[in-house]
Amino acid sequence: MQGIIRTIRDGSGFDILLLGLALLYLIIFSAFPIVYNIIMSLQTVDMFTLTSFNRPFVGLQNYYDIFSQPVAGTIFWNTVKFVFLSIVFQLSIGFGLALFFQQDFPGASYLRGLFLAGWIMPALVVGAIWKWLFAGDFGVINYALTSLGIADDRIFWLSDPNVALYAVIIANIWLGIPFNMILLSVGLASIPRDVYEAAELDGAGAFERFRSITLPLMRAQLGAVISLGVIFTLQQFDLIAALTQGGPADSSNVAQYWSWQFSFQTYEISLGSAVSVLMIIFVIVVAAVYVRSTRHEHSY
Amino acid sequence: MLQIEIDHLNKHYGGFHALKDVNISIKQGSFVALVGPSGCGKSTLLRTLAGLEKTSSGDVRIAGRSVIGKPPRERDVAMVFQSYALYPHMDVEHNMNYSMRLKRRPKEEISERTRTAAETLGLGNLLDRLPKALSGGQRQRVAMGRAIVRNPKVFLFDEPLSNLDAALRVHMRSEIRKLHERLNATSVYVTHDQVEAMTMADHVVVMRAGVVEQQGSPLDLYDRPANRFVAGFIGSPAMNFLPATVTDNGALVLDNDSTQIGLNRDIAAGCQFWIGMRPEHLSLKPCVNDMAIDATVTGIESTGSMTFVVLEVASQPVVLAHSGRPVTRRGDHVRLHISLDNLHLFDRETELAA
């Protein structure tokens, strides 16, 4: 007993202890749920078999069932649009703001800090506020659009199947901008000023400096922000729950919300698992890109 | 022909007056060193020439044309930064030919000029390396290569050797000087190291607190410093200063001591001076036209070829330099011989040479 205590205190035992705790955590809270989820996606799981582990094995039947759902195509394209548009606008607006706050003007750092306010708010709260903004009858967005003459008539943002998805995307873009901006600001700040000055002396104008110095030197940060953005966007659940619940008629439904609906609303748990497994595969690909992009970080 | 004319140049940062009425004329083909302690404005002046800093008033002309308000790229100047400021994502070749690629020069010309510059600097086999795979000395060469491929009117160097080790620094000094002569360029070189300034430049500008204290050829500054600051800054080990006062009978007498310095000058009684003596103008042996004072040896430093003896004279430390090995020991009482032909006098109030 004394020997064990001594190794833990002084020797390699302490390393093993730390490693063991981390591994235990990962196994219990990450590896096990993922593996269990994959197993469930290959079984028939319903309310009656939920508590037993010995359930009928059905192979890829659940995956087949998902793809034969009539809404599968809609939800797939909704998810693609949701992720793609969110990322494009979060990134470009976030990058633009990061570049803007990189300029030396009074209060730049305070204003940049204020942008974080949006990020630290729970997405459910953000969703509730956007729901008011988007409201068809009394929403301030409609008021602004009609009084400025941009729209002739009120837009029913959350109940019109043609625009509901875009309303959710707009709210999600707003939510994601601060994260993009802060991460990209850090990257921009790490580029030494004299590299830009050297480029200026070499004859590069502002656009050329952005294209040939900023962009390539920000490659690692951009890769990281895009990958994390994809992962966060695929996790975005609260906002959808608060705004449209995937409706009307699945017109704003996306994969992650669909998976939840299967598992916890209609209790087709095996279908929900199958959807989430497909998403895991996609996220693993994105994570691999993320890990690769961090290898391109430059030292100055 | 004058290549650079700096005319009553002033620079303010908010309430801080960084450059005060600077006037410098630089001839085509000359190598000018801006030297001074940190914060003296030498780097600001260089960056003003490059166009990286705005001027508050005054004029800067390069090749006869005023460049005030012109961006760096319209000035035809190249700069070597202290940190080298290489583009970390470009290999050596692309670092060097970035400026030509921006100007969309023909491919053959770009590769020809890059290769020539690389060979001049001994970088021929490193062209495809990224900066992070280079040593400090190699990075420094790439930074120079980037400047010389442009064949600019003026080269600006901002303490380019301060990040190198001592041996490489001495080697690169002569390399830069040789390069300057080969390219027949006009160079402005900022350094805080007066030895660098003295050994490399044709014309040295000594600055302090935004003011040009004195400018001239290196030996001119050494032999005829205009004030106590320049006298103390130029030369290593530094000039010794002893306080002295002119007595009623017109003799110059050391303070804290009654030693009289026999000077044949007509100076009003009561005037207070610093007597400046370079370490090599002091001797432990009698020399021509000298005077002797009692001194105590308090320390000895030998470099092998030179010996520096620290003495106490009139309760002031004084450094003496002589060639060869030490001839005294710590604690020895000696006679210090001062060569009167090489004494400098500085007014204690104005610090100007008298």
Side-chain angles (χ1 to χ4, degrees):
Chain A
M1 190 62 204
Q2 284 240 312
I4 295 172
I5 291 173
R6 199 179 316 126
T7 14
I8 287 178
R9 206 178 48 216
D10 307 327
S12 58
F14 188 63
D15 305 350
I16 294 168
L17 182 74
L18 289 180
L19 199 67
L21 286 174
L23 271 178
L24 199 68
Y25 175 87
L26 281 174
I27 288 168
I28 294 174
F29 293 106
S30 291
F32 172 71
I34 288 174
V35 173
Y36 192 70
N37 191 40
I38 293 171
I39 292 170
M40 284 203 298
S41 76
L42 303 171
Q43 294 175 325
T44 296
V45 187
D46 53 33
M47 290 296 275
F48 302 104
T49 56
L50 192 54
T51 51
S52 108
F53 193 67
N54 189 14
R55 294 175 286 235
F57 180 79
V58 294
L60 296 175
Q61 183 62 39
N62 291 322
Y63 294 90
Y64 178 78
D65 287 348
I66 291 170
F67 287 114
S68 47
Q69 298 266 341
V71 294
T74 310
I75 287 175
F76 174 74
W77 283 115
N78 280 353
T79 310
V80 170
K81 277 190 222 166
F82 182 66
V83 171
F84 181 76
L85 291 175
S86 293
I87 297 295
V88 165
F89 286 100
Q90 282 175 359
L91 188 74
S92 47
I93 298 171
F95 201 10
L97 284 169
L99 287 166
F100 175 67
F101 285 117
Q102 198 65 27
Q103 310 302 312
D104 204 14
F105 61 88
S109 52
Y110 294 102
L111 281 175
R112 182 166 52 195
L114 276 183
F115 268 82
L116 278 178
W119 192 37
I120 57 179
M121 269 200 285
L124 264 179
V125 176
V126 172
I129 293 169
W130 276 96
K131 199 166 185 171
W132 286 341
L133 296 173
F134 278 132
D137 304 320
F138 59 84
V140 74
I141 292 177
N142 272 345
Y143 177 76
L145 290 178
T146 47
S147 37
L148 289 172
I150 296 169
D152 297 331
D153 213 351
R154 285 180 299 188
I155 302 169
F156 287 87
W157 289 97
L158 301 175
S159 48
D160 182 340
N162 293 319
V163 293
L165 177 67
Y166 299 102
V168 179
I169 291 173
I170 289 170
N172 190 46
I173 290 168
W174 182 86
L175 193 60
I177 285 172
F179 173 74
N180 281 259
M181 185 194 73
I182 294 295
L183 245 67
L184 295 173
S185 287
V186 173
L188 285 175
S190 74
I191 301 176
R193 201 192 162 113
D194 52 15
V195 170
Y196 284 112
E197 291 177 343
E200 230 178 309
L201 280 153
D202 268 348
F207 174 74
E208 198 53 50
R209 290 199 296 275
F210 177 75
R211 198 190 65 81
S212 59
I213 307 288
T214 310
L215 273 186
L217 288 180
M218 288 291 286
R219 195 175 148 186
Q221 282 86 354
L222 286 170
V225 169
I226 291 172
S227 316
L228 290 173
V230 169
I231 291 169
F232 290 160
T233 308
L234 284 176
Q235 281 181 353
Q236 187 50 268
F237 175 84
D238 335 26
L239 202 59
I240 299 160
L243 283 172
T244 62
Q245 288 98 45
D250 287 319
S251 64
S252 66
N253 207 356
V254 288
Q256 63 269 34
Y257 199 78
W258 198 33
S259 164
W260 178 82
Q261 284 176 325
F262 276 134
S263 296
F264 303 109
Q265 281 195 317
T266 58
Y267 296 107
E268 295 163 280
I269 293 164
S270 37
L271 294 186
S273 298
V275 173
S276 65
V277 168
L278 292 175
M279 290 178 67
I280 288 170
I281 293 168
F282 182 68
V283 167
I284 286 173
V285 173
V286 175
V289 174
Y290 166 63
V291 170
R292 266 187 65 87
S293 76
T294 54
R295 276 193 221 148
H296 285 284
E297 277 171 16
H298 291 283
S299 53
Y300 299 98
Chain B
M1 190 190 116
L2 287 182
Q3 183 72 306
I4 305 174
E5 295 154 84
I6 301 167
D7 205 357
H8 296 291
L9 185 71
N10 280 282
K11 164 85 188 162
H12 297 267
Y13 287 106
F16 178 62
H17 201 167
L19 295 175
K20 296 171 190 159
D21 196 40
V22 173
N23 293 288
I24 301 171
S25 298
I26 297 171
K27 283 206 267 312
Q28 208 283 322
S30 64
F31 195 112
V32 176
L34 303 179
V35 66
S38 6
C40 71
K42 56 192 189 296
S43 283
T44 306
L45 180 58
L46 193 78
R47 292 169 56 82
T48 309
L49 290 179
L52 296 170
E53 301 279 352
K54 288 196 178 78
T55 50
S56 303
S57 68
D59 197 11
V60 176
R61 288 184 293 279
I62 296 178
R65 305 247 291 281
S66 173
V67 293
I68 296 294
K70 286 204 177 141
R73 58 187 165 146
E74 286 172 30
R75 297 186 177 208
D76 199 13
V77 297
M79 182 156 161
V80 178
F81 290 80
Q82 181 174 9
S83 62
Y84 316 138
L86 300 181
Y87 311 123
H89 56 298
M90 296 183 198
D91 60 24
V92 169
E93 182 177 1
H94 286 85
N95 258 288
M96 285 173 54
N97 63 26
Y98 181 62
S99 56
M100 288 189 284
R101 283 186 287 130
L102 285 173
K103 290 205 185 83
R104 306 200 191 288
R105 309 298 305 172
K107 276 219 170 68
E108 304 76 56
E109 188 198 328
I110 292 180
S111 65
E112 171 65 31
R113 275 165 66 183
T114 312
R115 221 184 47 242
T116 314
E119 259 148 43
T120 307
L121 293 161
L123 293 167
N125 52 349
L126 301 173
L127 284 177
D128 53 359
R129 294 252 198 112
L130 284 176
K132 65 179 167 196
L134 299 175
S135 70
Q138 288 165 338
R139 287 180 203 188
Q140 210 278 331
R141 283 163 189 274
V142 177
M144 303 232 301
R146 193 166 64 178
I148 64 176
V149 290
R150 287 182 43 201
N151 198 16
K153 287 200 192 87
V154 176
F155 286 97
L156 304 175
F157 297 91
D158 189 3
E159 309 215 15
L161 306 182
S162 57
N163 291 338
L164 301 181
D165 62 60
L168 196 52
R169 196 152 57 216
V170 173
H171 174 69
M172 285 309 288
R173 259 190 230 161
S174 59
E175 292 274 300
I176 291 180
R177 182 66 221 200
K178 262 189 251 164
L179 203 62
H180 165 84
E181 266 146 38
R182 177 133 42 109
L183 300 171
N184 189 29
T186 307
S187 303
V188 182
Y189 188 102
V190 162
T191 177
H192 62 266
D193 181 352
Q194 55 92 19
V195 178
E196 243 172 52
M198 295 286 282
T199 51
M200 295 173 79
D202 316 313
H203 187 84
V204 177
V205 179
V206 183
M207 296 182 68
R208 178 173 61 163
V211 175
V212 173
E213 294 281 348
Q214 190 176 3
Q215 49 182 316
S217 75
L219 292 181
D220 208 32
L221 297 192
Y222 190 84
D223 292 337
R224 282 176 290 281
N227 55 42
R228 193 195 152 176
F229 172 76
V230 175
F233 193 80
I234 300 286
S236 175
M239 187 186 274
N240 299 294
F241 296 100
L242 291 177
T245 307
V246 179
T247 56
D248 291 338
N249 52 17
L252 191 58
V253 174
L254 288 184
D255 294 4
N256 317 324
D257 196 80
S258 52
T259 311
Q260 189 170 325
I261 311 281
L263 265 192
N264 303 323
R265 293 220 208 159
D266 194 16
I267 308 167
C271 282
Q272 293 190 306
F273 291 99
W274 292 106
I275 300 178
M277 301 165 288
R278 295 227 176 257
E280 70 272 23
H281 296 143
L282 301 175
S283 175
L284 297 172
K285 286 176 279 187
C287 51
V288 188
N289 189 21
D290 68 355
M291 59 162 291
I293 315 179
D294 285 323
T296 309
V297 178
T298 57
I300 291 176
E301 294 164 10
S302 180
T303 62
S305 62
M306 288 294 290
T307 298
F308 304 113
V309 186
V310 187
L311 303 157
E312 194 178 86
V313 176
S315 350
Q316 300 274 332
V318 165
V319 178
L320 172 154
H322 65 78
S323 59
R325 302 299 162 108
V327 290
T328 52
R329 270 181 300 182
R330 188 181 304 197
D332 283 357
H333 293 284
V334 294
R335 291 288 282 170
L336 173 66
H337 296 266
I338 303 171
S339 159
L340 293 174
D341 298 336
N342 292 303
L343 280 189
H344 299 266
L345 277 190
F346 302 98
D347 189 300
R348 244 196 279 176
E349 218 166 284
T350 62
E351 304 222 321
L352 292 176

